[in-house]
Amino acid sequence: MGNNVHDAVIVGAGFGGMGAAIQLQRLGYDDLVILEREDDLGGTWHVNRYPGLAVDIPSATYSYSFEPNPHWSRLFAPGAELKAYAVHVAEKYDLRRHMRFHTVVTGARWDEETSTWHVAVEGGETVVGRFLLTATGFLSQPRLPDIDGIEDFAGTVMHTTRWDDDVDLEGKRIGVIGTGATAVQLVPELAAVADHLTVYQRTPICVSPKLDGPVPGLVRAAFARLPLTQKAARLVGTSLLEVMMVAGVLHFRDLPAANQLGKRVCEAHLRRQVKDPELRARLTPDYDFGCKRPTFSNTYYPTFTRPHVDLETATIDHVDTDGIVTVDGRRADLDILVLATGFSLWETNFPAIQVVGREGRDLGRWWRETRFQAYEGISVPGFPNFFCLNSPYSYSGLSYFTTIETQMAHLARLLTAMAQRGADVVEVTEEANAAFLDRMTGLLGNSVFNAGSCSTARSYYFNQHGEAVLLRPTSTLSAHREAVRFPLEDYTFAATGVPAGAS
Ligand code: NAP
């Protein structure tokens, strides 16, 4: 396989990688290889299967617009339905034939002589392609907390991405470290079966009401027979999320009232669900709405009012064989310790693999030594024929599918232009990239991230330079408009004449 030059190598078989593959197929590229480290497709929705897992974006919106699913059982579908949807998409678009599982990519290098990407795989093999697309996700490298003594714990320790269904939770003393969106879904489920549950919170999260419920059979039938009805439902969901994001987060300086509204909705939800003022105070964030990813739940806050559930806000000192000891010397004896400690983004995930472009430019090092940047959240100067789908400024809107489809549109415009010009190598210019970075930096000044009070949020939106460059600070409409209209002169097009298969 080493000498065969594929049209494209895609790293990651989640929704991002599958969207890219669908688009490449539509554009006439059929020799694709999708390399995936896990044992099946679906990305996040394959890896995560903790109790309570569900999408926290309305399902009609959290799916490909060109592949609506009329069968979602609830407004916010359970995780297993997302995985089933991923399988359905792979089958319908005939993507499985491109996929190789249990294939860990260790790095990729641009080969100037042959104008190809050489992708190294654990075990020594090299896979070669004209294009390289990394779709490794934002939340795919689990973060294990650096807490003394965890390795000494005699009970079971599980990170939420490595859930072991064989572990019996019934009647156990369970500790959960972390109170992010994952814990918000998991904690009520654990409380339902545990003998005792202790939740270790370092930073509270904003939780707003979840307008969830089963989708009635009649509605599902209408979605199946009249796809326009589901399109309308999608539009409503997308618009609400968009208003929340644009008005509440990105236009913080111009529209402080919209941000306050978000905060008040969460506070009112908490007031309704938790009567004890002391407990309420401990669950109340002290940073502005949107600094940290908010979430939806009707069951999270009330869980802390149950007699067998403790919210522990003292800092963890260490773990020993029997449980957790906090800095004030108190201890909780545990049978099971759940690490809902999230993901490492800025340390290990930008990029998730080593990518070396022209003249030895190492993407990870370059980002860290300069600034995290990517033109339109997809292309980087010095990296020809490379599309980094999980790059700075790529995440547009609140549903990941908005991002994916914006990037699919960008690929369509660019690769069509390449074909028309007879080019085989394309690269974004340094100038276009710098202008995009300047524009995004300017827009961020208006957002809650720069203009609000986020210093206590410990938000993963911020990188080690203190910049919140994960989310694109524009509306999704504007992102999409740019994807279909960006100036083609922002790229250089070259015809190298190196024939395919010449590596
Ligand atoms: P997260 O939001 O990063 O939360 C991790 C939690 O662990 C935080 O509360 C963090 O505290 C805590 N933590 C980490 N290290 C710690 C330590 N050493 N000591 C004490 N506490 C520690 O991760 P997540 O909950 O897995 O969620 C990640 C993202 O996944 C979400 O924001 C969301 O985008 C996505 N998600 C989506 C869905 C969905 O339905 N679509 C569901 C779940 C998750 P600090 O805050 O103080 O750092």
Side-chain angles (χ1 to χ4, degrees):
M1 200 161 191
N3 288 332
N4 180 25
V5 180
H6 300 282
D7 289 337
V9 179
I10 299 173
V11 186
F15 284 120
M18 293 205 295
I22 290 169
Q23 190 65 299
L24 289 171
Q25 285 184 167
R26 284 176 182 160
L27 293 165
Y29 298 96
D30 197 55
D31 182 3
L32 310 176
V33 187
I34 305 176
L35 305 176
E36 169 58 58
R37 75 177 174 192
E38 305 295 335
D39 62 356
D40 198 16
L41 59 86
T44 287
W45 301 101
H46 174 63
V47 167
N48 284 281
R49 50 165 198 284
Y50 56 81
L53 175 68
V55 63
D56 67 359
I57 300 287
S59 297
T61 290
Y62 193 86
S63 44
Y64 297 109
S65 62
F66 56 86
E67 191 52 45
N69 173 19
H71 308 297
W72 300 121
S73 65
R74 302 182 67 83
L75 283 175
F76 294 84
E81 290 185 28
L82 268 299
K83 163 75 189 184
Y85 174 69
V87 169
H88 159 78
V89 170
E91 271 158 23
K92 177 157 175 187
Y93 294 85
D94 200 11
L95 301 178
R96 265 198 196 272
R97 68 199 161 105
H98 304 308
M99 293 178 182
R100 289 177 53 189
F101 300 113
H102 288 304
T103 306
V104 177
V105 173
T106 53
R109 183 179 57 78
W110 173 250
D111 184 72
E112 197 67 56
E113 218 164 285
T114 56
S115 298
T116 52
W117 280 97
H118 288 224
V119 180
V121 168
E122 221 168 66
E125 187 192 346
T126 300
V127 183
V128 182
R130 284 248 171 248
F131 293 99
L132 171 67
L133 297 94
T134 48
T136 45
F138 294 100
L139 304 164
S140 49
Q141 320 298 332
R143 178 170 54 198
L144 301 176
D146 187 15
I147 297 175
D148 275 353
I150 278 205
E151 59 291 346
D152 299 331
F153 184 60
T156 303
V157 185
M158 284 187 284
H159 188 273
T160 50
T161 56
R162 292 281 174 261
W163 200 262
D164 182 351
D165 298 317
D166 293 334
V167 172
D168 183 10
L169 306 165
E170 195 76 41
K172 297 292 193 305
R173 297 164 304 173
I174 304 177
V176 176
I177 302 180
T179 53
T182 298
V184 167
Q185 296 185 336
L186 178 65
V187 159
E189 302 294 319
L190 295 180
V193 291
D195 170 63
H196 195 92
L197 179 67
T198 312
V199 179
Y200 292 85
Q201 170 189 277
R202 195 162 61 179
T203 312
I205 183 170
C206 289
V207 182
S208 47
K210 190 169 185 179
L211 305 173
D212 194 12
V215 181
L218 268 177
V219 174
R220 285 196 248 170
F223 284 172
R225 259 184 260 125
L226 304 164
L228 266 183
T229 54
Q230 193 167 18
K231 275 208 165 109
R234 180 186 181 91
L235 188 63
V236 171
T238 310
S239 308
L240 286 173
L241 294 173
E242 187 72 353
V243 168
M244 200 192 294
M245 182 71 184
V246 174
V249 174
L250 301 182
H251 283 271
F252 176 82
R253 209 191 282 276
D254 310 330
L255 298 168
N259 184 277
Q260 276 299 311
L261 180 65
K263 192 172 184 150
R264 291 222 188 89
V265 167
C266 296
E267 285 173 356
H269 189 45
L270 177 58
R271 247 193 330 273
R272 264 194 310 275
Q273 295 197 313
V274 175
K275 299 297 169 206
D276 172 4
E278 191 270 332
L279 175 59
R280 214 157 57 203
R282 289 193 292 140
L283 287 166
T284 304
D286 63 353
Y287 51 85
D288 280 327
F289 177 78
C291 291
K292 199 177 181 78
R293 167 77 151 63
T295 191
F296 306 93
S297 171
N298 301 327
T299 50
Y300 177 69
Y301 286 146
T303 301
F304 295 103
T305 65
R306 301 186 64 178
H308 70 303
V309 178
D310 287 326
L311 175 70
E312 182 54 79
T313 50
T315 304
I316 296 172
D317 183 71
H318 67 276
V319 175
D320 61 21
T321 47
D322 300 320
I324 294 184
V325 181
T326 44
V327 285
D328 52 10
R330 287 178 301 117
R331 59 173 305 115
D333 288 331
L334 304 170
D335 304 306
I336 297 170
L337 175 53
V338 176
L339 307 176
T341 45
F343 302 87
S344 163
L345 280 89
W346 301 105
E347 299 83 17
T348 54
N349 207 34
F350 280 89
I353 56 165
Q354 188 185 42
V355 182
V356 179
R358 278 201 214 277
E359 294 166 14
R361 181 177 281 186
D362 179 308
L363 183 59
R365 201 167 55 223
W366 186 67
W367 272 344
R368 282 159 183 78
E369 286 174 359
T370 60
R371 288 171 65 195
F372 286 85
Q373 52 196 294
Y375 170 77
E376 291 289 340
I378 191 166
S379 297
V380 188
F383 296 84
N385 289 6
F386 170 55
F387 302 106
C388 186
L389 304 187
N390 304 103
S391 52
Y393 300 115
S394 58
Y395 205 112
S396 174
L398 284 180
S399 164
Y400 184 36
F401 284 86
T402 323
T403 305
I404 297 168
E405 294 199 26
T406 299
Q407 295 182 324
M408 288 170 74
H410 191 102
L411 286 175
R413 176 164 169 78
L414 186 61
L415 300 193
T416 303
M418 273 183 94
Q420 284 164 351
R421 294 167 189 221
D424 55 9
V425 176
V426 72
E427 182 181 342
V428 70
T429 66
E430 297 274 3
E431 298 72 32
N433 175 65
F436 180 80
L437 178 60
D438 277 355
R439 187 155 58 90
M440 293 302 115
T441 306
L443 290 171
L444 268 180
N446 205 2
S447 73
V448 71
F449 307 121
N450 287 28
S453 167
C454 290
S455 60
T456 55
R458 284 180 176 271
S459 167
Y460 66 74
Y461 291 157
F462 290 84
N463 63 23
Q464 52 273 64
H465 304 159
E467 294 185 304
V469 303
L470 182 68
L471 306 176
R472 178 185 170 118
T474 75
S475 69
T476 57
L477 275 182
S478 136
H480 190 80
R481 222 175 12 241
E482 285 182 31
V484 295
R485 286 195 206 145
F486 64 86
L488 290 168
E489 313 80 71
D490 285 355
Y491 283 89
T492 56
F493 295 80
T496 64
V498 178
S503 100

